[in-house]
Amino acid sequence: MAYAAPLFAFEVRWVIELILLVFALIVQGIALVHAITQRSDAFTAIGTLPKGGWIGILAVCLVLTLLGFGPISLFGLIGIAAGLIYLLDVRVGLRDLSDGKGFW
């Protein structure tokens, strides 16, 4: 009976890490695809990093998350932050720059 609690804790941690991994991959993947499909002059028009910079940051973070560093590692957390910054700040600026009607 004494061994049941640690095993349960490892199972709960594994499920939480799996949920975070799926979340990280979805956020980073959507941000990377969106960055690839945008015009490069729009990034400089809203005053952010150039398109190549965002694609590089998001691609490296996605690859490092996929290679097994996981979402709880430093690279995983940076990747989640970069993806969320892109989606919540840069994507909104790009959408406001265009006519507001877009795929995303």
Side-chain angles (χ1 to χ4, degrees):
M1 187 68 180
Y3 296 109
L7 293 177
F8 177 72
F10 287 124
E11 290 177 10
V12 169
R13 180 180 175 199
W14 182 80
V15 169
I16 291 172
E17 285 185 12
L18 181 65
I19 291 170
L20 284 174
L21 178 65
V22 169
F23 174 74
L25 293 177
I26 289 173
V27 166
Q28 294 172 14
I30 289 174
L32 181 61
V33 168
H34 187 271
I36 290 171
T37 59
Q38 298 302 307
R39 296 187 345 236
S40 58
D41 60 339
F43 287 87
T44 56
I46 63 170
T48 185
L49 290 174
K51 180 179 180 176
W54 277 112
I55 291 174
I57 290 170
L58 295 169
V60 166
C61 291
L62 183 65
V63 167
L64 289 176
T65 303
L66 281 173
L67 284 179
F69 285 100
I72 298 181
S73 70
L74 180 64
F75 294 119
L77 294 174
I78 290 172
I80 292 172
L84 288 175
I85 288 170
Y86 180 85
L87 290 176
L88 297 176
D89 185 34
V90 178
R91 183 181 63 92
V92 174
L94 293 172
R95 185 181 60 206
D96 290 343
L97 183 66
S98 66
D99 60 354
K101 300 175 186 173
F103 182 72
W104 300 93

